[in-house]
Amino acid sequence: MKITDHIEQAKGTLISFEVLPPLKGKTISSVYDHLDPLMEFKPSWINVTYHRSETMFKKKVDGTFEKVEVRKRPGTVGICAAIMNHYQIDAVPHIICGGFTKRETEDALIDLDFLGIDNVLVLRGDAAKNESSFEPEVGGHNYAIDLLQQVTNMNHGLYIDEDIKNGGKTKFCPGVAGYPEKHFEAPNLEIDLQRLKEKVDAGAGYVMTQMFFDNQKFFDFVKQCREIGITVPIIPGLKPITNKKQLSVLPRIFHVDIPTDLSNALMKCKTDLDCEQVGTEWLIQQSKELKAFGVPVLHYYTLGKPKVIWNAVKQLV
Ligand code: FAD
């Protein structure tokens, strides 16, 4: 079922979770072990992130270096199918521009369609680790909006492969990313919001946000989106802070601010367990306030911390 249909038919605030594919070598049981306890909350769907391969230089016996592409986590197609089969729940693969040609993307979308996957979260992806800024693959897409166009074209039966005539129409409901604190490459929030509106005008059914720790930033973002005519559902992405290291890691990697009250409370903590308690309490307060604001869905980035998410969501249901 499409995310937009889930939201339209909802009687209250929905819950959804996000997982990473397991590291290569681990089995699908590691995903089920992670998700099993969270199923108690009857999530409406599960998102699965995509992790592009990394270029590494491995030393050979003769002392020279060999350039190799290393993929640490498998792709999303198999894991989404497994989650759907195992739990009879919708799985939402993240699809990215980086590292893919349009033809490769077309093949992946055909596989997803065959598996009955109705939703995709359409993203550009970040720069590869060995690049200073995002470089599209030769024959790939530059921006999320270009990938989105490919998805909507397939929904109209239009394929890249010129030999396909009267192609079957896929029925993907595409979502896109939004940034309450601005995407780090955008010159300002106004321009970033215009880019977001272009994605929505090009067919995105909903917006899912980057994590944030200050709800006011989300409320302002929603207001600004509505003012420029973005009318689709806006889903807040939520993540707990569970250790002090994240006070510098999260701003560096995700370009988000940590509110002073939260950073002060975390700095006073003596152990990771203390930090986890502070982070959980913050997440509960954030979730309650967002629920009261009337968000359609509370989307939790579980990222290796299902117990913390369980403790927080338990307080809401
Ligand atoms: P875009 O919408 O293409 O925007 C990228 C930048 O370009 C922005 O600054 C925008 O303002 C600007 N821009 C957009 N269109 C144009 C244009 N036509 N001309 C000039 N500038 C333009 N990454 C992963 O690798 N895997 C994941 O699974 C993943 N999941 C994510 C989930 C969510 C909810 C979010 C918020 C992010 C996720 N990301 C993921 C990270 C994302 O890929 C990065 O933030 C990436 O840098 C931008 O992706 P985007 O889809 O927002 O890009």
Side-chain angles (χ1 to χ4, degrees):
M1 185 162 138
K2 294 181 176 185
I3 300 301
T4 44
D5 292 337
H6 277 285
I7 293 173
E8 253 169 48
Q9 293 169 23
K11 302 233 164 18
T13 317
L14 301 177
I15 303 278
S16 60
F17 298 118
E18 181 163 312
V19 293
L20 274 67
L23 286 166
K24 262 163 70 176
K26 294 210 171 188
T27 67
I28 191 71
S29 310
S30 63
V31 177
Y32 301 151
D33 291 346
H34 190 91
L35 282 174
D36 277 350
L38 296 170
M39 287 298 147
E40 172 183 340
F41 306 120
K42 301 196 168 30
S44 298
W45 65 84
I46 305 291
N47 279 58
V48 181
T49 56
Y50 188 87
H51 301 260
R52 64 185 292 184
S53 56
E54 292 171 25
T55 306
M56 290 184 158
F57 291 89
K58 289 209 166 160
K59 202 170 185 178
K60 296 199 292 187
V61 276
D62 64 2
T64 59
F65 286 86
E66 182 189 15
K67 191 176 167 191
V68 282
E69 284 289 305
V70 178
R71 197 150 176 228
K72 295 197 171 150
R73 296 175 191 271
T76 48
V77 177
I79 180 175
C80 281
I83 288 172
M84 278 176 71
N85 269 327
H86 192 74
Y87 297 111
Q88 305 298 310
I89 188 176
D90 282 307
V92 183
H94 292 192
I95 57 169
I96 65 169
C97 308
F100 290 97
T101 64
K102 295 171 196 169
R103 287 179 186 276
E104 287 165 343
T105 296
E106 182 162 284
D107 289 346
L109 287 168
I110 290 171
D111 282 341
L112 292 171
D113 183 53
F114 285 169
L115 286 164
I117 289 172
D118 296 331
N119 300 285
V120 281
L121 188 67
V122 178
L123 303 145
R124 187 197 68 181
D126 282 321
K129 288 228 165 86
N130 58 323
E131 291 169 353
S132 58
S133 59
F134 179 82
E135 289 289 340
E137 199 69 12
V138 176
H141 293 296
N142 275 298
Y143 293 107
I145 192 169
D146 307 318
L147 175 55
L148 176 68
Q149 199 66 63
Q150 184 174 5
V151 174
T152 54
N153 279 346
M154 282 178 68
N155 281 348
H156 290 106
L158 301 171
Y159 291 71
I160 304 274
D161 187 335
E162 314 79 20
D163 293 336
I164 301 175
K165 307 276 181 252
N166 301 318
K169 293 180 182 175
T170 56
K171 48 182 181 344
F172 292 115
C173 170
V176 291
Y179 302 82
E181 298 180 56
K182 182 181 95 62
H183 184 263
F184 71 102
E185 291 168 25
N188 54 54
L189 188 58
E190 285 65 34
I191 292 179
D192 204 27
L193 284 167
Q194 277 307 325
R195 298 298 185 199
L196 179 59
K197 182 159 188 315
E198 284 163 16
K199 290 194 281 189
V200 172
D201 291 346
Y206 64 96
V207 174
M208 183 166 275
T209 77
Q210 181 59 280
M211 68 183 76
F212 55 90
F213 298 93
D214 178 354
N215 281 350
Q216 192 55 50
K217 294 201 169 155
F218 176 82
F219 301 147
D220 293 344
F221 175 74
V222 172
K223 185 165 174 276
Q224 285 169 289
C225 284
R226 299 309 181 217
E227 279 169 2
I228 61 165
I230 296 174
T231 55
V232 296
I234 301 177
I235 302 174
L238 296 164
K239 175 182 162 57
I241 291 196
T242 52
N243 59 57
K244 280 188 201 176
K245 237 168 65 184
Q246 288 173 315
L247 287 173
S248 55
V249 170
L250 297 179
R252 180 163 49 80
I253 297 183
F254 297 103
H255 310 277
V256 293
D257 276 353
I258 313 288
T260 314
D261 287 353
L262 178 57
S263 62
N264 283 347
L266 286 161
M267 272 167 340
K268 281 189 201 136
C269 292
K270 297 222 163 25
T271 64
D272 277 358
L273 195 63
D274 294 342
C275 289
E276 210 170 279
Q277 273 164 5
V278 168
T280 307
E281 198 46 47
W282 192 271
L283 184 65
I284 293 167
Q285 291 314 322
Q286 259 198 292
S287 305
K288 284 184 175 166
E289 206 183 15
L290 288 163
K291 199 172 166 181
F293 178 75
V295 296
V297 187
L298 292 165
H299 179 75
Y300 293 95
Y301 300 121
T302 67
L303 310 177
K305 291 285 170 196
K307 186 82 183 98
V308 175
I309 303 294
W310 189 93
N311 287 336
V313 180
K314 190 73 185 160
Q315 302 297 315
L316 304 172
V317 292

